[in-house]
Amino acid sequence: MECTEPVQVCWTKAVQRFNETLTAGSNKRINILNPADGHQLCNIRDLLDSVQEAQKKCSASRGSIRSFLGAVVKAANRYAAVVDVLVQQQADIIALVWGAVRLLVNVSDLRIAAAGIETGQEVRDSLVLILQHAGRYQEEARLFVKFDRVQQAITGLFVHILNYLVRAKTYFQKPYAVRIAKAGLLGLRPKFQVILATIHAQVASLDREIRTASESAHANHREAHCETDPATPTEQLARSLVVEKEFALEQAFREDCRGDSCRQIALLTRILAEQDIQNTRGEEMYRMLSRDSPWTFQGGEQDRTSSIQLSSIIRWLCNGSTLSKHVPVREPGTCEWIFDHAAYRSWCQSDYSGCLWISGIPGCGKSVLASYLAERMTTETLLTYFFRNSTDRYSTLASPFAASLLTTLCQNPKVVQNPCFPHVIARLLPLFNNFECASESPFDRLIGILGSVLEMVPAYTLMVDGLDECSDMDNAELLFTFLRKRGTRSNARVILLSRSHPNIEDFFGFSYQVQMNQSAVEPDILHYIQQEIARTPKLRALETEILTKAMANSQGMFLWAKLMLDNLKIGLNLKAQRKKLERFPPGLFAVYDQLLEENRYNLDEEEVALRYEIFLLLVGAIEPLTVSDIATALALDCTTNTVDAEDLIFEPKKVILRLCWPLAMVINEQAQLFHMSVKEYLLQQPERARTNESMKLRLSLEDSNAFLARKTLSKLTQDTYSVSNYSASLLRKHLLTGSFITEIEEHAQEDSVFYDYACLHWHEHVTSLTDPPEVVLVKLRQFLTGNEFVSWSEVLFDLKKLIGPDAQVQVRLALQSWVDLLPTRTKKQIPIGSFFILPHQSLNQELKEEGNDKLIPFLPLVRLGGYFNLGGVSREDWQAAYECKKIVAEGYAKVLGGRSPLTLRAKTALLLEYFWQTRFDEAEKELLEVSKIQAEVLGEGIADYYVTLQLLGLAQYYLNMFDESCTTLQHSEEGLGRLSGTSNPEHLMALLYHAYALEAKRELDRAYRLYGDILQIWIPLKGEDHPLSLMVLCGLGSVLRKRKEFAQAEGILLRVWGARQRRFTLSNNLSIDSAIQLAILYREMECAGKAIDLLDVISSSSVFQVDFERFCQLNHIRALIDFDAGAYDIPRLSLQHLIDQATGANRHRNNRELLWIRLTLSDVLRWRGQLDEASMLFVDLVELENDTVEGGSPASTSSLDEEPEPPIQLIIAEKALRLVRQAKQTEAENLLHENRLRWTRKRDFWIMQGGPISDTAWMKEPRQANEHTTETRSCVAPPPPL
């Protein structure tokens, strides 16, 4: 009989997909015709009976098992009625699910415990989760039967529930010994964790699909009843109320279901607490997070939260650390000479004051000596780190050094129990929230935190090996300075090991230095050889000859001696060994040549070519490559962009070791070069090659990067990532409420090997090429213009934990800088101008033509709007952002309705574009309306509401509503800080706008503190050149100028000016704002020459051709400088000409800057005694109110004989204007109102958008006018009412 019930259909499809995709074992497959074949069946009553029996078995016990059983009872009872009905309709498949649950319940008290605490506890937790989700989503399947995406998502969830239950059941039916082996030796627990994590992800995705479906259903109801219903308005209203009520009930049910998990845990906690059981499920989850930690937090919820935060941060730090270096085992009896060395003894006698620097040539045994010293150190805390140039570029950077040490220290009980440690967590949290892993965090921020943590350690030894292999030129000096200062601390013993290097010599040459020269190391080398010969009988006959050879040729290199002995061991007989000994050359490079040549005889031509490609990968890798990555990259055909299964090498680890012996090794499934000298050997110039074989391995970084560029671009442009369905599913996951299309997700998981590396590093390999080959250019062009680019961009959002397209913009800037240096012919082949734009536009068009989903085509435009906002440099870019956002907002409203949260978010994004269009009044009005709707629909617990308030506060600032702006922005920053964290960019933007408003109110101290608060958080995260950093610094420079802290202001504003020139050029108003700020400062510093030079530089900018207000600023400052110098006619005429351009028919051109120009010019005119001319500057600024005068007659100017305005009105206008310039808007309004006047055009006072635009209301008055204008203003009496 065909299934028609939605739940039946979902379960049937789930079984089919489970059999086809998730299991290969016949014992795990489910027979749809006879589901009981090999599997237990039961109904909900049987399940509850099993639980009660299990409860009786453990009635005398206390703890996790009884807590688990209680949770099962609660969860099962909640959905008992629903499940009973479903079992009656299709007993077999659904009873199969409950049969598996019952089996696991029955074994929970004995068998799960036998399998290990961690695996058992996770299985118990997962069963409660499955009980909750299975019943809940069976009901959801009924509610949303018409929504295919919801049904697909429910099917996907059921697939993974089946996967978990069948695998767990199969596992617990096995004999005890087999279970122990699987749980312990074979690593079963990670498999359960992966499946359970997938279930969590499916649940989250399903919730999002349901929200989208409910909003769509609501919109359809409204359109159906409002647009096509012929009923009367009263009938339509009544029906709409019914629809609203039904929608509210459905929404309440969904919210009730969503909150079920939290309420279930809370209920269980209360019940078990009444039974005096402390080990609730919530407690067990908490302990699971902090398991294996050497500390426990005592106290309430705050301590628990701190522990969870710490566990998460430790995992994050571990992700940013490098793998431990492979160090050969020390030969007993070696390295002991160090304790008799004069420098070492002096270091010890100085109470370890200063660094101990041990230097030596490659292969002399520095790493082994480091390990030996680490073992002998007597301090309780030992910290070690190895820079490794032989592995990848990542391992040569400074940030992983700090991350690795912090990982160790944050698990040190004495550190964690230090009263200051919570402050360390507080400093790490912003980095944790903003960077995917610790190694991506700014090194200066990490090293500062590391220094603070080290102060909490009573005594420690810090051992750093391979310091010369640190290639992080930007941070090397800071790292060396940090190490040198650590060496001076009384609680520290700092030991550094490296080759001799001029930079290291400069920093540590004055330290206690031990040189591992031949005289120091040779006795150890001979001792090692003697012991190795004693352990290897077939070498004993040649002992004398071997020792003689070593004394003559080892040159103090342990590595050379080891390679020699390893080579002799493979000799077939004594004659062959003697021949090998005689031929074994001095010097590492010569040894590498010979060993490679010998190995060549065991390889065919195809293997030799494969070896070369492996070395290309290992030499150029940005981060460690796994053997699977390497195998996939080698099998990837760059012509077809496909991986042929027949080309994938079997057992890649063994193949890599065999082909690349002895120059490569594999540690933890990651391939790396055997020694740092190997990379130098491979990269040496061809003329240094000694043999034909070594010539075949001579490569350059250009070769390596070209090879990796081809491979990464080929991976990114595979068909999987170029289909619209794939990129659209990623957009839906990030921007809507949907999830991956399940088939695509599974395929991507199977084919994702090497893809993440390609996503993160393709551009680094491409931009390293000085002469990119044609094949790279062709692939780059294809990638930059196709759907695969959108797929890459969306995956990058996940890999980098991005909110906006920051990383994509950075990639564009890197590509642009690279393209600028290429020959013209090559430049033309790279469509850098359409970066990000063309692929998203093309995808938008393709999705519209497909027409499968009304909402999906808008998503590429959402991304484009954000990209134009962040990466735009011109008005054309901003106009494009506006057009994209307008289409999205209108489209969302049509599909989802005007009150949908997604529509409201799109509307807010659109209103942001009103700002650069100077539509501040419209933006303020509509943002206020949107915020009210969001408060009604979403409540104040959603960040969207506070983002809208943030923009509303900014609009109020631009409108001169400074008090209202401060109130709104304070509300916004409090909400965003609470919901998103204080380091969230939206929260920091609210703080920035608040600082703007405070500065405009002349509350300089508060503004100064806010700017400083933002910088302390943001610059360590994103650096000084980030756009937000530059905006904050520019604002801070303005405040410092007003506080007359000129030296600091100059340093900051020069920094901003330079950075914006590089980033935006002079064609952007942000650059112009920086220059004008700096010019104002120079004038007030009495550096008129510098100010004039700066104004001359920017005067040719295209900004002034379209921006009249900034043109007025430029000429205002020039005139002030001229007035200061004693000039009069030229600057006066210049300012008067500006005013004349905004009068009469051009009155609409009047602006805030021209108001201040009027005040400047009036001061100068009065100084010259031209009082009437000065007063006439204030014509047409105020007008009579439309109110009536006392007695009811309308206000009239008929009694006023003066033309064009009464003198008293001009006096009032000037006085009010001066009040506004002093940030006394309220007093100015009161003055006008008392005289029944108002501003003719409030738009004149609006503040223009900028970075920020210069506040010329606060500038030093002309030098020659100061004394006279002060006297003039002091004698002006308050004017009488009109």
Side-chain angles (χ1 to χ4, degrees):
M1 180 178 176
E2 185 179 354
C3 298
T4 58
E5 167 67 25
V7 181
Q8 299 172 13
V9 174
C10 290
W11 277 116
T12 301
K13 290 181 178 179
V15 171
Q16 291 172 341
R17 284 183 49 198
F18 169 76
N19 287 339
E20 293 170 0
T21 63
L22 292 182
T23 181
S26 58
N27 63 319
K28 297 189 183 77
R29 288 199 183 97
I30 301 170
N31 186 342
I32 296 179
L33 298 178
N34 182 19
D37 184 15
H39 298 276
Q40 291 187 348
L41 305 179
C42 82
N43 57 30
I44 196 70
R45 186 68 261 165
D46 295 331
L47 174 62
L48 293 174
D49 289 342
S50 297
V51 174
Q52 290 173 359
E53 291 177 11
Q55 284 180 316
K56 291 178 182 178
K57 292 180 183 179
C58 64
S59 59
S61 67
R62 306 164 67 89
S64 61
I65 294 176
R66 196 166 75 171
S67 300
F68 154 69
L69 295 172
V72 170
V73 172
K74 296 294 182 183
N77 274 327
R78 181 174 181 84
Y79 296 105
V82 175
V83 177
D84 276 342
V85 172
L86 296 172
V87 170
Q88 291 170 17
Q89 293 177 348
Q90 191 183 19
D92 286 345
I93 293 178
I94 300 174
L96 167 85
V97 176
W98 301 115
V101 172
R102 185 179 66 168
L103 170 69
L104 296 177
V105 169
N106 286 335
V107 302
S108 65
D109 55 331
L110 298 175
R111 303 185 200 179
I112 293 181
I117 294 175
E118 291 180 334
T119 302
Q121 181 57 52
E122 289 174 0
V123 170
R124 292 199 292 269
D125 290 340
S126 65
L127 290 182
V128 175
L129 175 77
I130 289 171
L131 280 166
Q132 293 167 349
H133 292 325
R136 166 188 167 191
Y137 286 113
Q138 287 173 148
E139 185 60 20
E140 295 278 19
R142 288 166 167 259
L143 284 175
F144 297 97
V145 64
K146 296 181 180 180
F147 292 87
D148 291 340
R149 298 185 71 82
V150 174
Q151 300 297 313
Q152 292 174 9
I154 291 174
T155 300
L157 172 64
F158 288 173
V159 168
H160 293 290
I161 287 177
L162 281 174
N163 189 28
Y164 192 95
L165 291 174
V166 170
R167 293 183 184 279
K169 178 186 73 69
T170 303
Y171 166 72
F172 285 113
Q173 285 179 329
K174 293 185 180 296
Y176 174 83
V178 176
R179 290 200 307 276
I180 291 298
K182 280 183 170 289
L185 301 178
L186 302 182
L188 179 70
R189 179 171 173 251
K191 295 181 180 179
F192 280 150
Q193 290 176 326
V194 169
I195 301 173
L196 192 58
T198 306
I199 291 175
H200 279 290
Q202 289 285 338
V203 167
S205 298
L206 180 51
D207 280 344
R208 294 191 292 267
E209 287 288 359
I210 288 171
R211 286 198 295 274
T212 298
S214 65
E215 291 171 358
S216 180
H218 187 42
N220 291 338
H221 275 305
R222 184 178 58 257
E223 291 178 1
H225 287 276
C226 294
E227 297 177 7
T228 62
D229 194 349
T232 65
T234 304
E235 291 172 335
Q236 289 181 2
L237 176 60
R239 290 181 183 179
S240 67
L241 291 174
V242 172
V243 172
E244 291 288 343
K245 182 177 181 180
E246 291 175 353
F247 177 77
L249 289 173
E250 292 174 3
Q251 186 71 10
F253 170 77
R254 287 188 292 274
E255 292 302 324
D256 181 68
C257 291
R258 272 181 215 111
D260 176 69
S261 178
C262 295
R263 286 194 297 274
Q264 186 72 26
I265 294 174
L267 176 63
L268 179 60
T269 302
R270 189 175 69 250
I271 292 173
L272 296 178
E274 292 172 357
Q275 300 172 0
D276 194 28
I277 296 176
Q278 299 299 321
N279 193 17
T280 66
R281 179 171 181 262
E283 291 284 343
E284 291 169 355
M285 290 176 63
Y286 156 65
R287 277 197 298 278
M288 183 177 68
L289 286 172
S290 58
R291 185 174 287 124
D292 300 328
S293 298
W295 68 88
T296 55
F297 282 96
Q298 304 294 330
E301 191 64 29
Q302 184 175 359
D303 289 334
R304 183 177 307 175
T305 301
S306 298
S307 180
I308 294 174
Q309 285 179 342
L310 180 57
S311 299
S312 300
I313 287 173
I314 289 174
R315 288 193 295 272
W316 173 75
L317 288 168
C318 285
N319 291 337
S321 305
T322 60
L323 297 173
S324 298
K325 180 176 179 178
H326 173 70
V327 178
V329 178
R330 182 185 70 91
E331 178 66 45
T334 61
C335 299
E336 296 174 357
W337 58 269
I338 185 71
F339 300 118
D340 295 323
H341 195 282
Y344 182 87
R345 295 173 62 127
S346 298
W347 180 63
C348 295
Q349 292 169 2
S350 72
D351 200 18
Y352 312 103
S353 176
C355 299
L356 177 66
W357 178 30
I358 302 175
S359 61
I361 61 175
C364 68
K366 295 186 295 295
S367 297
V368 175
L369 179 60
S371 297
Y372 175 65
L373 286 174
E375 295 172 2
R376 296 294 299 267
M377 289 296 107
T378 57
T379 56
E380 184 176 344
T381 300
L382 174 65
L383 303 168
T384 60
Y385 189 80
F386 298 85
F387 285 97
R388 298 175 298 150
N389 190 36
S390 60
T391 306
D392 52 78
R393 297 187 213 175
Y394 174 82
S395 300
T396 67
L397 302 179
S399 288
F401 160 80
S404 294
L405 299 191
L406 283 169
T407 302
T408 302
L409 290 167
C410 286
Q411 299 176 81
N412 184 316
K414 291 187 177 180
V415 171
V416 175
Q417 294 165 7
N418 190 291
C420 297
F421 187 68
H423 180 62
V424 173
I425 296 295
R427 294 174 66 186
L428 284 170
L429 274 175
L431 301 175
F432 171 78
N433 292 328
N434 283 275
F435 296 96
E436 174 67 19
C437 64
S439 60
E440 296 181 359
S441 304
F443 177 65
D444 56 349
R445 187 73 175 270
L446 283 176
I447 204 70
I449 298 173
L450 175 61
S452 299
V453 176
L454 287 174
E455 295 300 327
M456 302 178 190
V457 183
Y460 65 90
T461 298
L462 173 58
M463 189 91 59
V464 183
D465 185 27
L467 193 59
D468 56 295
E469 297 181 46
C470 175
S471 63
D472 196 340
M473 301 307 296
D474 293 335
N475 294 309
E477 183 174 351
L478 180 58
L479 170 65
F480 293 171
T481 301
F482 172 82
L483 293 172
R484 187 170 62 187
K485 289 183 178 179
R486 286 299 111 193
T488 64
R489 296 292 197 274
S490 60
N491 63 333
R493 302 180 187 179
V494 179
I495 303 176
L496 312 174
L497 299 99
S498 74
R499 289 188 292 178
S500 295
H501 192 280
N503 290 341
I504 300 177
E505 181 78 28
D506 291 343
F507 268 88
F508 304 105
F510 61 88
S511 304
Y512 299 93
Q513 183 175 2
V514 175
Q515 293 185 348
M516 293 183 67
N517 51 32
Q518 185 171 353
S519 62
V521 176
E522 189 172 86
D524 277 4
I525 294 176
L526 298 178
H527 175 74
Y528 160 71
I529 292 173
Q530 289 172 334
Q531 297 303 310
E532 190 66 19
I533 291 173
R535 289 188 290 266
T536 312
K538 61 182 179 179
L539 296 179
R540 292 173 185 169
L542 295 174
E543 179 173 4
T544 302
E545 297 171 60
I546 293 172
L547 290 173
T548 301
K549 179 83 171 182
M551 292 178 65
N553 295 335
S554 71
Q555 300 173 359
M557 290 183 286
F558 262 100
L559 181 58
W560 181 92
K562 181 182 185 305
L563 291 172
M564 178 186 68
L565 294 176
D566 289 344
N567 192 42
L568 294 178
K569 289 176 185 177
I570 62 176
L572 297 177
N573 50 45
L574 185 60
K575 184 177 181 180
Q577 286 180 331
R578 182 172 282 106
K579 185 177 180 180
K580 283 180 175 291
L581 181 62
E582 293 172 354
R583 294 183 61 246
F584 200 80
L588 284 178
F589 285 10
V591 171
Y592 294 156
D593 280 337
Q594 180 175 307
L595 295 180
L596 285 174
E597 185 175 6
E598 292 176 357
N599 189 33
R600 169 66 180 85
Y601 295 124
N602 301 318
L603 308 177
D604 58 33
E605 290 301 320
E606 184 177 349
E607 290 175 325
V608 171
L610 197 62
R611 178 178 68 176
Y612 178 74
E613 292 186 344
I614 293 173
F615 281 131
L616 285 173
L617 293 172
L618 295 180
V619 166
I622 305 293
E623 63 178 73
L625 289 169
T626 66
V627 294
S628 298
D629 286 332
I630 292 175
T632 299
L634 293 174
L636 181 58
D637 187 333
C638 293
T639 303
T640 62
N641 298 334
T642 58
V643 175
D644 191 333
E646 294 187 4
D647 290 331
L648 281 170
I649 56 178
F650 300 122
E651 301 180 300
K653 177 179 178 179
K654 291 183 179 179
V655 172
I656 292 170
L657 292 176
R658 181 173 67 85
L659 297 184
C660 302
W661 185 88
L663 303 189
M665 59 183 178
V666 176
I667 301 176
N668 296 328
E669 294 302 308
Q670 291 183 336
Q672 62 186 67
L673 298 175
F674 172 71
H675 189 264
M676 53 85 60
S677 60
V678 173
K679 187 171 184 178
E680 296 176 358
Y681 164 75
L682 293 171
L683 292 175
Q684 65 178 315
Q685 295 301 313
E687 56 268 20
R688 295 180 58 186
R690 295 175 178 270
T691 68
N692 291 333
E693 180 57 31
S694 63
M695 281 289 291
K696 296 179 182 179
L697 279 178
R698 290 303 174 265
L699 49 89
S700 66
L701 281 177
E702 182 85 0
D703 298 330
S704 182
N705 281 311
F707 185 72
L708 277 158
R710 291 197 303 273
K711 293 293 184 178
T712 53
L713 288 172
S714 293
K715 184 65 181 179
L716 293 172
T717 51
Q718 286 184 310
D719 289 345
T720 300
Y721 312 109
S722 61
V723 295
S724 61
N725 205 21
Y726 185 85
S727 48
S729 69
L730 290 168
L731 286 164
R732 184 181 181 90
K733 172 194 171 189
H734 293 144
L735 296 177
L736 280 183
T737 53
S739 62
F740 282 130
I741 295 173
T742 309
E743 290 79 10
I744 289 179
E745 182 180 26
E746 291 172 355
H747 178 74
Q749 289 174 346
E750 295 171 2
D751 200 38
S752 63
V753 178
F754 192 57
Y755 185 75
D756 287 354
Y757 179 91
C759 280
L760 291 169
H761 303 299
W762 68 268
H763 63 285
E764 295 177 82
H765 294 299
V766 169
T767 56
S768 296
L769 300 175
T770 56
D771 184 19
E774 185 67 23
V775 64
V776 171
L777 294 175
V778 171
K779 289 188 174 298
L780 180 60
R781 186 162 56 250
Q782 176 188 348
F783 170 68
L784 292 177
T785 56
N787 288 336
E788 50 266 49
F789 181 95
V790 181
S791 299
W792 162 75
S793 176
E794 292 304 310
V795 172
L796 202 61
F797 275 97
D798 288 328
L799 294 177
K800 296 271 189 182
K801 290 185 177 179
L802 297 173
I803 298 175
D806 302 64
Q808 291 86 339
V809 171
Q810 292 301 317
V811 170
R812 187 202 72 190
L813 293 173
L815 283 175
Q816 185 66 67
S817 299
W818 172 67
V819 169
D820 290 343
L821 299 175
L822 295 175
T824 302
R825 181 184 61 82
T826 306
K827 288 180 183 179
K828 294 179 179 179
Q829 300 184 60
I830 304 171
I832 189 66
S834 61
F835 181 92
F836 201 96
I837 302 169
L838 179 59
H840 285 81
Q841 288 176 338
S842 300
L843 180 60
N844 163 253
Q845 186 62 34
E846 186 175 351
L847 293 173
K848 281 197 299 186
E849 292 172 357
E850 291 176 357
N852 296 329
D853 191 313
K854 293 182 179 179
L855 213 55
I856 286 291
F858 297 112
L859 303 187
L861 300 183
V862 175
R863 285 297 191 219
L864 267 179
Y867 173 77
F868 281 126
N869 270 148
L870 185 64
V873 295
S874 65
R875 294 180 70 88
E876 289 76 15
D877 290 337
W878 302 330
Q879 181 64 32
Y882 170 75
E883 297 296 340
C884 290
K885 293 182 179 183
K886 183 179 180 182
I887 294 172
V888 171
E890 292 174 351
Y892 277 13
K894 184 176 181 180
V895 176
L896 300 174
R899 293 176 67 86
S900 162
L902 287 173
T903 303
L904 294 171
R905 183 185 300 170
K907 184 67 178 295
T908 300
L910 173 62
L911 293 174
L912 174 63
E913 302 307 312
Y914 283 27
F915 285 49
W916 70 266
Q917 299 172 350
T918 63
R919 299 163 63 183
F920 302 133
D921 51 347
E922 297 176 63
E924 194 268 343
K925 179 181 177 181
E926 295 189 41
L927 285 166
L928 184 60
E929 180 182 350
V930 170
S931 68
K932 290 179 180 178
I933 298 174
Q934 286 176 323
E936 295 171 6
V937 174
L938 302 174
E940 297 191 6
I942 302 297
D944 283 7
Y945 168 68
Y946 296 102
V947 172
T948 303
L949 288 184
Q950 174 210 93
L951 295 179
L952 174 61
L954 181 61
Q956 291 167 337
Y957 160 74
Y958 289 140
L959 292 170
N960 263 27
M961 302 164 61
F962 301 139
D963 291 332
E964 295 88 339
S965 176
C966 286
T967 301
T968 303
L969 289 168
Q970 185 169 355
H971 189 190
S972 172
E973 67 195 45
E974 289 172 354
L976 289 170
R978 182 178 71 254
L979 295 174
S980 306
T982 56
S983 62
N984 181 271
E986 295 292 355
H987 173 256
L988 295 176
M989 291 302 292
L991 290 177
L992 175 62
Y993 301 152
H994 193 180
Y996 286 174
L998 290 171
E999 183 182 352
K1001 291 177 64 177
R1002 301 205 170 191
E1003 296 185 29
L1004 298 185
D1005 290 343
R1006 290 182 62 192
Y1008 176 82
R1009 287 194 295 271
L1010 269 186
Y1011 285 133
D1013 291 343
I1014 302 169
L1015 292 174
Q1016 285 182 357
I1017 297 172
W1018 191 250
I1019 285 185
L1021 293 174
K1022 300 296 185 180
E1024 291 186 1
D1025 286 347
H1026 189 277
L1028 175 58
S1029 303
L1030 296 175
M1031 292 177 73
V1032 180
L1033 287 168
C1034 197
L1036 179 60
S1038 176
V1039 168
L1040 289 169
R1041 171 181 69 83
K1042 295 170 183 177
R1043 288 163 50 123
K1044 299 191 181 301
E1045 299 177 34
F1046 293 149
Q1048 292 184 52
E1050 181 185 16
I1052 289 173
L1053 291 176
L1054 278 172
R1055 180 76 180 83
V1056 175
W1057 161 238
R1060 283 181 169 167
Q1061 271 190 294
R1062 292 190 300 272
R1063 188 180 183 92
F1064 301 116
T1065 74
L1066 291 180
S1067 62
N1068 188 285
N1069 60 19
L1070 298 179
S1071 300
I1072 299 304
D1073 289 338
S1074 306
I1076 291 176
Q1077 291 269 21
L1078 193 55
I1080 296 171
L1081 173 67
Y1082 281 143
R1083 174 181 171 259
E1084 298 188 2
M1085 293 175 65
E1086 305 292 339
C1087 298
K1090 289 184 178 181
I1092 290 295
D1093 290 343
L1094 189 55
L1095 295 176
D1096 288 342
V1097 168
I1098 65 173
S1099 61
S1100 61
S1101 169
S1102 59
V1103 171
F1104 297 119
Q1105 298 174 14
V1106 295
D1107 193 326
F1108 182 56
E1109 181 162 354
R1110 286 183 171 83
F1111 181 73
C1112 292
Q1113 286 188 329
L1114 175 74
N1115 287 281
H1116 189 183
I1117 300 169
R1118 282 190 184 276
L1120 286 170
I1121 295 172
D1122 288 343
F1123 286 138
D1124 291 342
Y1128 174 69
D1129 286 331
I1130 292 178
R1132 177 184 65 81
L1133 291 173
S1134 173
L1135 296 183
Q1136 185 64 56
H1137 180 64
L1138 293 174
I1139 295 173
D1140 292 343
Q1141 292 183 63
T1143 57
N1146 294 322
R1147 177 65 178 78
H1148 64 279
R1149 301 189 71 189
N1150 197 38
N1151 56 62
R1152 186 179 180 87
E1153 187 64 29
L1154 283 175
L1155 298 177
W1156 314 145
I1157 286 176
R1158 282 175 164 83
L1159 293 176
T1160 295
L1161 194 51
S1162 69
D1163 291 341
V1164 174
L1165 289 171
R1166 287 196 178 95
W1167 177 70
R1168 288 277 182 155
Q1170 299 173 313
L1171 304 183
D1172 293 339
E1173 290 85 347
S1175 295
M1176 290 300 294
L1177 291 170
F1178 303 99
V1179 169
D1180 202 23
L1181 293 185
V1182 298
E1183 63 186 9
L1184 291 175
E1185 292 178 339
N1186 290 328
D1187 298 334
T1188 57
V1189 297
E1190 289 186 8
S1193 60
S1196 171
T1197 60
S1198 60
S1199 61
L1200 301 176
D1201 299 327
E1202 297 85 357
E1203 294 291 346
E1205 293 181 24
I1208 191 63
Q1209 184 169 318
L1210 299 179
I1211 292 173
I1212 294 170
E1214 178 181 1
K1215 188 173 183 64
L1217 185 58
R1218 292 189 183 277
L1219 287 171
V1220 172
R1221 189 170 69 168
Q1222 296 169 9
K1224 298 179 180 179
Q1225 281 86 353
T1226 302
E1227 290 91 330
E1229 293 289 342
N1230 291 339
L1231 174 64
L1232 293 177
H1233 184 66
E1234 288 170 2
N1235 293 277
R1236 297 194 297 278
L1237 294 171
R1238 66 182 179 189
W1239 296 114
T1240 301
R1241 183 173 178 264
K1242 286 196 173 182
R1243 187 187 181 100
D1244 295 346
F1245 293 90
W1246 289 2
I1247 300 171
M1248 292 299 100
Q1249 197 175 20
I1253 194 169
S1254 303
D1255 181 12
T1256 53
W1258 188 319
M1259 290 195 299
K1260 186 176 67 173
E1261 297 172 341
R1263 183 180 302 140
Q1264 297 182 21
N1266 288 347
E1267 181 178 351
H1268 181 78
T1269 54
T1270 301
E1271 294 175 354
T1272 300
R1273 274 183 238 126
S1274 65
C1275 65
V1276 175
L1282 289 175

